[in-house]
């Protein structure tokens, strides 16, 4: 699997999710089997590039390549300038966001709202490719099947984007109108894959090794992108990889391994955000990790009362040690990170 000149170790990708796929989370998923990870979306508004929020999103210190940065905006010239800015700071791949369904993004006609203005969408793609191509930086794009059931134009746009120089296309199998509700459909993804010569990535509701196998078989996609299912369960990438290679299920992580993986992630998280912001933003990651496990909801509520890094770490370790007294491995759970629980935090477009 290649993106431009970049050879990837496998075809399992981490979806860009605002408020989630920061550097610590990307590195965590890469260590646990993901072959590629795209940053949270970075605004094309120049006046915000120096903000703390944007600087954290653009932090790729120590991250394995290729470094992929997703940009979002509505003005072709500004998007081109944002691409050049991020390339100067180490980006090796630029990804254009045309998939985020969040109202605060779509109300500004960015994200998936761009699919309603095909001329502007194409203008943005052409401007970004024109800046990136001379630098040898491939441009990828992520979108939905369309704005609504009546306005599913992904195939038409995909052909235009390929002709304009897009190197890889990712499609979430829902319309913008759906948000994350209902079920993803894969007919549109299959149609796009059949029509295009560039790599096509399938995204949406890939929550298990079996689902990954079935989506690949049905769509013939070149790769899979996993978003919400990796929240609190970053080992899903190695589970899927093992199943695709062998047809057999990998054992769940031991409770001790899960404890140590999550502890390491917390320390990396605090290192990026500092204590005040880090403790608060870590709560969602901890909540996802314990969701559906015995006593997980009570622990999550307790965790939300803690205000110090060392308190969070110790509480997490103590809770997993207690769980380990009755379970060697993480017990199965049917709890998914559902739409309502995540809609306020992530744009897993």
């Amino acid at each position: 699997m290649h993106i431009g000149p970049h050879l990837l170790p496998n075809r399992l990708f981490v979806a860009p999710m605002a408020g989630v796929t920061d550097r610590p989370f990307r590195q965590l998923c890469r260590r646990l089997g993901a072959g590629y990870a795209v940053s949270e979306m970075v605004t094309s508004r120049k006046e915000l590039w120096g903000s703390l929020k944007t600087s954290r999103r653009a932090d790729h210190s120590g991250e394995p390549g290729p470094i992929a940065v997703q940009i979002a905006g509505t003005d072709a010239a500004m998007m081109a300038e944002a691409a050049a800015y991020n390339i100067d700071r180490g980006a090796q791949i630029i990804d254009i966001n045309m998939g985020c369904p969040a109202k605060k993004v779509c109300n500004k006609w960015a994200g998936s709202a761009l699919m309603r203005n095909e001329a502007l969408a194409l203008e943005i793609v052409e401007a970004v490719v024109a800046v990136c191509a001379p630098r040898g930086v491939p441009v990828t794009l992520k979108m939905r099947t369309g704005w609504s059931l009546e306005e599913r134009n992904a195939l038409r746009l995909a052909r235009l984007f390929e002709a304009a120089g897009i190197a890889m296309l990712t499609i979430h199998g829902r319309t913008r109108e759906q948000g994350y509700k209902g079920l993803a459909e894969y007919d549109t993804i299959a149609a796009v894959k059949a029509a295009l010569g560039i790599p096509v990535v399938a995204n949406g509701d890939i929550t298990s090794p079996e689902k990954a196998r079935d989506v690949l078989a049905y769509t013939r996609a070149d790769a899979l992108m996993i978003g919400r299912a990796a929240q609190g369960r970053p080992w899903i990438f190695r589970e899927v990889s093992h199943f695709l290679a062998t047809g057999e299920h990998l054992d769940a992580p031991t409770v001790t391994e899960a404890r140590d993986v999550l502890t390491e992630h917390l320390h990396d998280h605090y290192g990026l955000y500092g204590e005040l912001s880090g403790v608060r933003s870590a709560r969602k990651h901890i909540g996802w990790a314990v969701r559906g496990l015995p006593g997980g909801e009570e622990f999550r509520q307790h965790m939300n009362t803690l205000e110090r890094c060392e308190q969070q770490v110790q509480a997490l370790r103590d809770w997993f040690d207690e769980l380990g007294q009755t379970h060697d491995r993480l017990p199965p759970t049917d709890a998914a990170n559902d739409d309502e629980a995540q809609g306020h935090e992530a744009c897993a477009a």
Side-chain angles (χ1 to χ4, degrees):
M1 178 70 194
H2 285 80
I3 303 177
H6 304 290
L7 174 64
L8 306 181
N10 63 49
R11 52 181 178 167
L12 301 176
F13 302 169
V14 188
M17 297 176 282
V20 180
T21 45
D22 51 21
R23 188 193 69 212
F25 187 79
R26 293 193 301 270
Q27 290 179 312
L28 174 65
C29 292
R30 292 287 293 270
R31 287 197 301 271
L32 292 172
Y36 178 64
V38 183
S39 76
E40 307 171 79
M41 60 182 174
V42 175
T43 180
S44 61
R45 293 172 58 189
K46 190 173 184 178
E47 68 271 19
L48 296 178
W49 291 347
S51 70
L52 180 59
K53 184 176 182 179
T54 298
S55 65
R56 282 173 175 160
R57 289 187 172 189
D59 188 333
H60 301 277
S61 305
E63 193 170 351
I67 304 301
V69 175
Q70 186 182 80
I71 59 175
T74 60
D75 182 89
M78 289 172 62
M79 288 284 279
E81 189 176 9
Y85 174 85
N86 282 284
I87 292 170
D88 290 343
R89 280 150 186 78
Q92 297 168 293
I93 297 171
I94 294 294
D95 185 66
I96 298 174
N97 183 322
M98 289 193 191
C100 183
K103 289 183 179 179
K104 66 181 179 180
V105 176
C106 289
N107 286 346
K108 298 176 182 177
W109 289 95
S112 55
L114 283 169
M115 297 185 71
R116 301 192 83 180
N117 189 336
E118 295 183 4
L120 176 58
L122 183 59
E123 182 186 356
I124 287 173
V125 167
E126 290 173 340
V128 172
V129 169
V131 165
C132 294
R135 303 178 183 219
V137 174
V139 180
T140 62
L141 186 143
K142 193 162 190 292
M143 66 179 179
R144 293 202 158 214
T145 58
W147 178 262
S148 65
L149 185 61
E150 296 74 25
E151 298 180 69
R152 285 195 291 186
N153 57 342
L155 179 56
R156 183 166 61 251
L157 280 172
R159 288 187 169 118
L160 293 172
F161 294 157
E162 180 182 35
I166 287 295
M168 184 182 77
L169 193 66
T170 301
I171 303 175
H172 182 114
R174 287 182 174 87
T175 64
R176 186 273 161 192
E177 197 174 62
Q178 279 183 273
Y180 298 103
K181 299 185 183 301
L183 299 175
E185 58 93 358
Y186 306 106
D187 290 335
T188 301
I189 301 174
V192 170
K193 172 56 189 172
L196 268 58
I198 59 175
V200 173
V201 183
N203 176 225
D205 291 353
I206 300 168
T207 56
S208 69
E210 291 88 352
K211 190 63 176 287
R213 174 200 60 199
D214 294 346
V215 170
L216 279 175
Y218 188 79
T219 65
R220 304 295 181 186
D222 300 278
L224 298 174
M225 184 170 279
I226 299 174
R228 291 172 295 154
Q231 295 176 3
R233 189 186 162 195
W235 35 80
I236 189 174
F237 296 99
R238 73 182 186 191
E239 292 174 348
V240 169
S241 179
H242 182 82
F243 184 80
L244 292 178
T246 68
E248 299 177 353
H249 284 280
L250 194 66
D251 288 336
T254 65
V255 172
T256 299
E257 182 191 9
R259 178 201 66 192
D260 292 345
V261 164
L262 295 169
T263 298
E264 182 181 1
H265 180 217
L266 285 182
H267 285 303
D268 288 345
H269 190 86
Y270 303 145
L272 179 63
Y273 293 98
E275 181 162 68
L276 180 61
S277 179
V279 164
R280 294 175 181 176
S281 56
R283 289 171 181 163
K284 59 176 176 280
H285 290 281
I286 297 169
W288 291 328
V290 303
R291 184 177 179 136
L293 296 176
E297 177 56 26
E298 293 79 6
F299 175 68
R300 185 190 67 81
Q301 293 179 17
H302 170 64
M303 179 63 65
N304 289 343
T305 69
L306 304 180
E307 297 289 345
R308 301 291 301 276
C309 295
E310 63 268 22
Q311 290 177 322
Q312 275 192 338
V313 171
Q314 191 60 54
L316 181 77
R317 295 187 67 85
D318 290 346
W319 188 83
F320 272 96
D321 286 344
E322 184 176 346
L323 181 66
Q325 295 177 13
T326 53
H327 297 81
D328 178 46
R329 296 185 179 274
L330 287 184
T333 171
D334 293 329
N337 289 329
D338 59 27
D339 306 328
E340 184 178 353
Q342 297 177 79
H344 302 295
E345 297 291 348
C347 179

